[in-house]
Amino acid sequence: MTPTRTLLVWCPDWPVIALEIVEGVPAAGPVAVLHANRVIACSPAARTEGIRRGLRKREAQSRCPALVTADYDPGRDTRAFEPVIAAVEEVVAGVEAVRPGACAVAARGPARYFGGEERAAERIVEQVAQSCAVESQAGIADGVFAAGLAARSGRIVPPGGTARFLAGLPVEAINRPALTDLLRRLGIRTLGDFAALPPGDVLARFGFDAALAHRLAAGEDHRPLAVRHPPADLTVTETYDEPLDRVDAAAFAARTLAARLHETLTRHGLACTRLGVEAVTAHGQELHRTWRHDGLLTAGAIADRVRWQLDGWLSGTNRRPGSAGSAPVARPTAGIIRLRLVPDGVLTHLGQQPGLWGETGAERDRAHRALHRVQGILGPEAVVTAVLGGGRSPADQARLVPWGDERVPTRPAEPPWPGRLPPPAPAVVLPTPLAVTVLDGAGRPVGVSARLWLTAVPDALVVGTGEPVAITGWAGPWPVDERWWAPAEANRRVRFQVSLADGTALLLSLSASRWAVEAIYD
């Protein structure tokens, strides 16, 4: 099997170039990138001062006091290299990202299209320079390994001449320090000397990784290119000659565009969990909102969310009446002329495995459709579900979110939450605490001292002007003093669990000498 003729584009000193692109550190000065306190890349100006790869940080700084150092960040290198790969993909197809700073492509197609391998390499290097303002070099040889070494000198190795090209290179080119050190001590100094060893003896003496390096040194790089497929453009856009300024017209447009988006996702075997809705008005005003969904968005769910958002923009009903900050929302200055849907949180949609006795989740799907139908008629906040989170009281631990929205608790449940009530949890949490009075055996109100001592034993509970109900048991107090550093938000109270003679169990709180029922137990 003949190795694939490969064209490799190499950007010298890429960690330094990426540092300049992302963080603005000038690569023209003496710059070094460090990993494990050693230099792994440096700028040309640093090399003129004697900086080399492998130097310790202190030694490098002693050679060049003006040296600018930065820690190695593979994420930074990868993000900065993405535009370079995109620039190469504008000229040729089937690009493999070898590592940040190097990408490869099969040379046959570009060579035939541009009229030769040399012209193809020049065209790609020119494209990278024009699109990204990044210096690069290209090399062509049989196999990715040899092409990478050829790119360092901008060389085109003739077909069939890869083994001769590699034979004269030092053994350090295989980039395996432990193996290189051992081969040096054995007197093997070039790739040609290493390739001359019997393959079976290399495997038996040095192991599998060394056997793979031996094949590369002999020019037998048969690994096919792992071609990168550019991501598909999943967004859908529609432009309207007549601006959309009525909710009914916007709803019709939303359903049509949502169907197109769902069809596009289905064609690629995908589904999304977040949806971006973007609109442009006739006066150039740009509007954007992201909708999250706890699950996969169906065509109907996409259409509903787009309709809700357009309704909110056109009629100014983005907020729930009576909610905090419920001031009227300014309507757009003109009708909408362009609508764009951007799927986010895209996942592979594998479908569902049918059950042995009927379809899996059929009842659940019918319930979901019914809930979505109610939301479509009454609005997204007409159906809410509870999300449990952290907190010290039952009211703090529960949060109501609209059906279909991302179920994220207000407070994380992981912290220990000192002062949290012990189990069991109450069955009913009152939205507004009910004022009550707790009396002792003499009919006097019961209180709690500063040292958390009861002023008397609780004997009866009175709701409003009703008859007293005997307290048969109680536990507590459990004190809590929240946000004492913010007087406007401070909350200091004690909690009690009490059982009444009629079988009712309550959670009581005492704050500022006022008793209240917070929750009811089963």
Side-chain angles (χ1 to χ4, degrees), residues 154-179:
R155 182 172 176 178
I156 298 178
V157 180
T162 298
R164 292 191 300 274
F165 164 70
L166 296 174
L169 298 179
V171 72
E172 287 79 7
I174 58 177
N175 196 26
R176 289 166 171 81
L179 178 61

PDB file of all heavy atoms in Angstrom, residues 154-179:
ATOM      1  N   GLY A 154       9.857  24.047   3.695  1.00  0.00           N
ATOM      2  CA  GLY A 154       9.124  24.434   2.497  1.00  0.00           C
ATOM      3  C   GLY A 154       9.494  23.599   1.289  1.00  0.00           C
ATOM      4  O   GLY A 154       9.612  24.131   0.181  1.00  0.00           O
ATOM      5  N   ARG A 155       9.619  22.317   1.482  1.00  0.00           N
ATOM      6  CA  ARG A 155      10.153  21.436   0.440  1.00  0.00           C
ATOM      7  C   ARG A 155       9.057  20.542  -0.128  1.00  0.00           C
ATOM      8  O   ARG A 155       8.132  20.141   0.571  1.00  0.00           O
ATOM      9  CB  ARG A 155      11.269  20.580   1.035  1.00  0.00           C
ATOM     10  CG  ARG A 155      11.951  19.652   0.048  1.00  0.00           C
ATOM     11  CD  ARG A 155      13.157  19.006   0.697  1.00  0.00           C
ATOM     12  NE  ARG A 155      13.791  18.036  -0.181  1.00  0.00           N
ATOM     13  CZ  ARG A 155      14.889  17.353   0.140  1.00  0.00           C
ATOM     14  NH1 ARG A 155      15.454  17.547   1.327  1.00  0.00           N
ATOM     15  NH2 ARG A 155      15.407  16.493  -0.706  1.00  0.00           N
ATOM     16  N   ILE A 156       9.168  20.227  -1.417  1.00  0.00           N
ATOM     17  CA  ILE A 156       8.285  19.266  -2.080  1.00  0.00           C
ATOM     18  C   ILE A 156       9.121  18.037  -2.410  1.00  0.00           C
ATOM     19  O   ILE A 156      10.027  18.078  -3.256  1.00  0.00           O
ATOM     20  CB  ILE A 156       7.659  19.859  -3.359  1.00  0.00           C
ATOM     21  CG1 ILE A 156       6.800  21.078  -3.010  1.00  0.00           C
ATOM     22  CG2 ILE A 156       6.833  18.809  -4.078  1.00  0.00           C
ATOM     23  CD1 ILE A 156       6.187  21.756  -4.209  1.00  0.00           C
ATOM     24  N   VAL A 157       8.850  16.945  -1.722  1.00  0.00           N
ATOM     25  CA  VAL A 157       9.591  15.698  -1.919  1.00  0.00           C
ATOM     26  C   VAL A 157       8.987  14.967  -3.109  1.00  0.00           C
ATOM     27  O   VAL A 157       7.763  14.758  -3.154  1.00  0.00           O
ATOM     28  CB  VAL A 157       9.526  14.829  -0.655  1.00  0.00           C
ATOM     29  CG1 VAL A 157      10.295  13.532  -0.864  1.00  0.00           C
ATOM     30  CG2 VAL A 157      10.072  15.596   0.542  1.00  0.00           C
ATOM     31  N   PRO A 158       9.782  14.549  -4.083  1.00  0.00           N
ATOM     32  CA  PRO A 158       9.228  13.857  -5.261  1.00  0.00           C
ATOM     33  C   PRO A 158       8.544  12.561  -4.860  1.00  0.00           C
ATOM     34  O   PRO A 158       8.916  11.928  -3.859  1.00  0.00           O
ATOM     35  CB  PRO A 158      10.467  13.593  -6.139  1.00  0.00           C
ATOM     36  CG  PRO A 158      11.507  14.544  -5.651  1.00  0.00           C
ATOM     37  CD  PRO A 158      11.239  14.746  -4.195  1.00  0.00           C
ATOM     38  N   PRO A 159       7.547  12.128  -5.610  1.00  0.00           N
ATOM     39  CA  PRO A 159       6.896  10.846  -5.312  1.00  0.00           C
ATOM     40  C   PRO A 159       7.906   9.709  -5.309  1.00  0.00           C
ATOM     41  O   PRO A 159       8.752   9.600  -6.203  1.00  0.00           O
ATOM     42  CB  PRO A 159       5.877  10.693  -6.447  1.00  0.00           C
ATOM     43  CG  PRO A 159       5.619  12.097  -6.916  1.00  0.00           C
ATOM     44  CD  PRO A 159       6.910  12.828  -6.743  1.00  0.00           C
ATOM     45  N   GLY A 160       7.830   8.878  -4.296  1.00  0.00           N
ATOM     46  CA  GLY A 160       8.759   7.766  -4.161  1.00  0.00           C
ATOM     47  C   GLY A 160      10.075   8.143  -3.510  1.00  0.00           C
ATOM     48  O   GLY A 160      10.896   7.256  -3.232  1.00  0.00           O
ATOM     49  N   GLY A 161      10.332   9.407  -3.246  1.00  0.00           N
ATOM     50  CA  GLY A 161      11.599   9.817  -2.646  1.00  0.00           C
ATOM     51  C   GLY A 161      11.512  10.117  -1.165  1.00  0.00           C
ATOM     52  O   GLY A 161      12.458  10.690  -0.596  1.00  0.00           O
ATOM     53  N   THR A 162      10.414   9.726  -0.529  1.00  0.00           N
ATOM     54  CA  THR A 162      10.244  10.059   0.880  1.00  0.00           C
ATOM     55  C   THR A 162      11.257   9.337   1.756  1.00  0.00           C
ATOM     56  O   THR A 162      11.793   9.917   2.707  1.00  0.00           O
ATOM     57  CB  THR A 162       8.813   9.709   1.318  1.00  0.00           C
ATOM     58  OG1 THR A 162       7.893  10.498   0.561  1.00  0.00           O
ATOM     59  CG2 THR A 162       8.612   9.990   2.789  1.00  0.00           C
ATOM     60  N   ALA A 163      11.518   8.057   1.490  1.00  0.00           N
ATOM     61  CA  ALA A 163      12.468   7.304   2.313  1.00  0.00           C
ATOM     62  C   ALA A 163      13.853   7.936   2.250  1.00  0.00           C
ATOM     63  O   ALA A 163      14.546   8.048   3.276  1.00  0.00           O
ATOM     64  CB  ALA A 163      12.508   5.850   1.862  1.00  0.00           C
ATOM     65  N   ARG A 164      14.297   8.352   1.073  1.00  0.00           N
ATOM     66  CA  ARG A 164      15.623   8.999   0.947  1.00  0.00           C
ATOM     67  C   ARG A 164      15.628  10.351   1.671  1.00  0.00           C
ATOM     68  O   ARG A 164      16.628  10.734   2.273  1.00  0.00           O
ATOM     69  CB  ARG A 164      15.976   9.190  -0.530  1.00  0.00           C
ATOM     70  CG  ARG A 164      16.230   7.891  -1.274  1.00  0.00           C
ATOM     71  CD  ARG A 164      16.833   8.149  -2.646  1.00  0.00           C
ATOM     72  NE  ARG A 164      15.937   8.968  -3.472  1.00  0.00           N
ATOM     73  CZ  ARG A 164      14.953   8.457  -4.220  1.00  0.00           C
ATOM     74  NH1 ARG A 164      14.734   7.139  -4.227  1.00  0.00           N
ATOM     75  NH2 ARG A 164      14.206   9.233  -4.970  1.00  0.00           N
ATOM     76  N   PHE A 165      14.512  11.083   1.595  1.00  0.00           N
ATOM     77  CA  PHE A 165      14.423  12.369   2.276  1.00  0.00           C
ATOM     78  C   PHE A 165      14.530  12.203   3.792  1.00  0.00           C
ATOM     79  O   PHE A 165      15.218  12.966   4.483  1.00  0.00           O
ATOM     80  CB  PHE A 165      13.106  13.049   1.904  1.00  0.00           C
ATOM     81  CG  PHE A 165      12.708  14.178   2.798  1.00  0.00           C
ATOM     82  CD1 PHE A 165      13.412  15.380   2.791  1.00  0.00           C
ATOM     83  CD2 PHE A 165      11.639  14.043   3.674  1.00  0.00           C
ATOM     84  CE1 PHE A 165      13.042  16.426   3.621  1.00  0.00           C
ATOM     85  CE2 PHE A 165      11.260  15.079   4.503  1.00  0.00           C
ATOM     86  CZ  PHE A 165      11.966  16.278   4.488  1.00  0.00           C
ATOM     87  N   LEU A 166      13.864  11.184   4.314  1.00  0.00           N
ATOM     88  CA  LEU A 166      13.880  10.966   5.757  1.00  0.00           C
ATOM     89  C   LEU A 166      15.191  10.396   6.253  1.00  0.00           C
ATOM     90  O   LEU A 166      15.577  10.623   7.406  1.00  0.00           O
ATOM     91  CB  LEU A 166      12.737  10.018   6.154  1.00  0.00           C
ATOM     92  CG  LEU A 166      11.303  10.513   5.921  1.00  0.00           C
ATOM     93  CD1 LEU A 166      10.306   9.402   6.226  1.00  0.00           C
ATOM     94  CD2 LEU A 166      11.019  11.724   6.795  1.00  0.00           C
ATOM     95  N   ALA A 167      15.905   9.680   5.422  1.00  0.00           N
ATOM     96  CA  ALA A 167      17.101   8.959   5.879  1.00  0.00           C
ATOM     97  C   ALA A 167      18.154   9.895   6.453  1.00  0.00           C
ATOM     98  O   ALA A 167      18.871   9.530   7.393  1.00  0.00           O
ATOM     99  CB  ALA A 167      17.685   8.133   4.733  1.00  0.00           C
ATOM    100  N   GLY A 168      18.283  11.088   5.920  1.00  0.00           N
ATOM    101  CA  GLY A 168      19.327  11.987   6.394  1.00  0.00           C
ATOM    102  C   GLY A 168      18.944  12.859   7.571  1.00  0.00           C
ATOM    103  O   GLY A 168      19.781  13.621   8.081  1.00  0.00           O
ATOM    104  N   LEU A 169      17.702  12.770   8.047  1.00  0.00           N
ATOM    105  CA  LEU A 169      17.251  13.614   9.158  1.00  0.00           C
ATOM    106  C   LEU A 169      17.656  13.007  10.491  1.00  0.00           C
ATOM    107  O   LEU A 169      17.764  11.782  10.632  1.00  0.00           O
ATOM    108  CB  LEU A 169      15.735  13.772   9.106  1.00  0.00           C
ATOM    109  CG  LEU A 169      15.170  14.458   7.862  1.00  0.00           C
ATOM    110  CD1 LEU A 169      13.648  14.516   7.929  1.00  0.00           C
ATOM    111  CD2 LEU A 169      15.734  15.866   7.725  1.00  0.00           C
ATOM    112  N   PRO A 170      17.904  13.838  11.505  1.00  0.00           N
ATOM    113  CA  PRO A 170      18.280  13.308  12.820  1.00  0.00           C
ATOM    114  C   PRO A 170      17.150  12.503  13.432  1.00  0.00           C
ATOM    115  O   PRO A 170      15.963  12.722  13.153  1.00  0.00           O
ATOM    116  CB  PRO A 170      18.593  14.564  13.644  1.00  0.00           C
ATOM    117  CG  PRO A 170      17.883  15.665  12.945  1.00  0.00           C
ATOM    118  CD  PRO A 170      17.880  15.318  11.493  1.00  0.00           C
ATOM    119  N   VAL A 171      17.502  11.580  14.324  1.00  0.00           N
ATOM    120  CA  VAL A 171      16.514  10.680  14.902  1.00  0.00           C
ATOM    121  C   VAL A 171      15.555  11.432  15.814  1.00  0.00           C
ATOM    122  O   VAL A 171      14.459  10.933  16.114  1.00  0.00           O
ATOM    123  CB  VAL A 171      17.241   9.552  15.667  1.00  0.00           C
ATOM    124  CG1 VAL A 171      17.859  10.069  16.958  1.00  0.00           C
ATOM    125  CG2 VAL A 171      16.317   8.382  15.925  1.00  0.00           C
ATOM    126  N   GLU A 172      15.915  12.646  16.254  1.00  0.00           N
ATOM    127  CA  GLU A 172      15.010  13.436  17.084  1.00  0.00           C
ATOM    128  C   GLU A 172      13.721  13.818  16.357  1.00  0.00           C
ATOM    129  O   GLU A 172      12.755  14.253  16.990  1.00  0.00           O
ATOM    130  CB  GLU A 172      15.696  14.693  17.585  1.00  0.00           C
ATOM    131  CG  GLU A 172      16.730  14.485  18.671  1.00  0.00           C
ATOM    132  CD  GLU A 172      18.067  13.982  18.138  1.00  0.00           C
ATOM    133  OE1 GLU A 172      18.219  13.922  16.896  1.00  0.00           O
ATOM    134  OE2 GLU A 172      18.944  13.649  18.956  1.00  0.00           O
ATOM    135  N   ALA A 173      13.689  13.674  15.033  1.00  0.00           N
ATOM    136  CA  ALA A 173      12.509  14.056  14.253  1.00  0.00           C
ATOM    137  C   ALA A 173      11.297  13.191  14.575  1.00  0.00           C
ATOM    138  O   ALA A 173      10.163  13.590  14.286  1.00  0.00           O
ATOM    139  CB  ALA A 173      12.810  13.983  12.756  1.00  0.00           C
ATOM    140  N   ILE A 174      11.483  12.011  15.178  1.00  0.00           N
ATOM    141  CA  ILE A 174      10.331  11.172  15.504  1.00  0.00           C
ATOM    142  C   ILE A 174       9.579  11.703  16.726  1.00  0.00           C
ATOM    143  O   ILE A 174       8.482  11.227  17.037  1.00  0.00           O
ATOM    144  CB  ILE A 174      10.747   9.709  15.744  1.00  0.00           C
ATOM    145  CG1 ILE A 174      11.769   9.615  16.882  1.00  0.00           C
ATOM    146  CG2 ILE A 174      11.303   9.113  14.465  1.00  0.00           C
ATOM    147  CD1 ILE A 174      12.169   8.187  17.217  1.00  0.00           C
ATOM    148  N   ASN A 175      10.155  12.691  17.425  1.00  0.00           N
ATOM    149  CA  ASN A 175       9.470  13.390  18.527  1.00  0.00           C
ATOM    150  C   ASN A 175       9.065  12.428  19.641  1.00  0.00           C
ATOM    151  O   ASN A 175       7.938  12.470  20.147  1.00  0.00           O
ATOM    152  CB  ASN A 175       8.239  14.143  18.006  1.00  0.00           C
ATOM    153  CG  ASN A 175       7.734  15.184  18.996  1.00  0.00           C
ATOM    154  OD1 ASN A 175       8.520  15.685  19.813  1.00  0.00           O
ATOM    155  ND2 ASN A 175       6.458  15.509  18.947  1.00  0.00           N
ATOM    156  N   ARG A 176      10.005  11.570  20.018  1.00  0.00           N
ATOM    157  CA  ARG A 176       9.818  10.665  21.159  1.00  0.00           C
ATOM    158  C   ARG A 176      11.081  10.739  22.000  1.00  0.00           C
ATOM    159  O   ARG A 176      12.027   9.973  21.770  1.00  0.00           O
ATOM    160  CB  ARG A 176       9.536   9.238  20.684  1.00  0.00           C
ATOM    161  CG  ARG A 176       8.137   9.059  20.056  1.00  0.00           C
ATOM    162  CD  ARG A 176       8.040   7.746  19.320  1.00  0.00           C
ATOM    163  NE  ARG A 176       6.687   7.436  18.882  1.00  0.00           N
ATOM    164  CZ  ARG A 176       6.116   7.934  17.793  1.00  0.00           C
ATOM    165  NH1 ARG A 176       6.778   8.803  17.028  1.00  0.00           N
ATOM    166  NH2 ARG A 176       4.888   7.585  17.456  1.00  0.00           N
ATOM    167  N   PRO A 177      11.136  11.638  22.974  1.00  0.00           N
ATOM    168  CA  PRO A 177      12.403  11.913  23.688  1.00  0.00           C
ATOM    169  C   PRO A 177      13.018  10.683  24.338  1.00  0.00           C
ATOM    170  O   PRO A 177      14.239  10.483  24.250  1.00  0.00           O
ATOM    171  CB  PRO A 177      11.981  12.951  24.742  1.00  0.00           C
ATOM    172  CG  PRO A 177      10.761  13.601  24.171  1.00  0.00           C
ATOM    173  CD  PRO A 177      10.058  12.540  23.412  1.00  0.00           C
ATOM    174  N   ALA A 178      12.230   9.841  25.004  1.00  0.00           N
ATOM    175  CA  ALA A 178      12.806   8.681  25.685  1.00  0.00           C
ATOM    176  C   ALA A 178      13.423   7.714  24.677  1.00  0.00           C
ATOM    177  O   ALA A 178      14.550   7.216  24.873  1.00  0.00           O
ATOM    178  CB  ALA A 178      11.723   7.980  26.512  1.00  0.00           C
ATOM    179  N   LEU A 179      12.703   7.457  23.587  1.00  0.00           N
ATOM    180  CA  LEU A 179      13.239   6.556  22.566  1.00  0.00           C
ATOM    181  C   LEU A 179      14.444   7.172  21.874  1.00  0.00           C
ATOM    182  O   LEU A 179      15.442   6.478  21.592  1.00  0.00           O
ATOM    183  CB  LEU A 179      12.137   6.242  21.546  1.00  0.00           C
ATOM    184  CG  LEU A 179      12.533   5.349  20.369  1.00  0.00           C
ATOM    185  CD1 LEU A 179      12.990   3.989  20.854  1.00  0.00           C
ATOM    186  CD2 LEU A 179      11.375   5.210  19.383  1.00  0.00           C
TER     187      LEU A 179
END
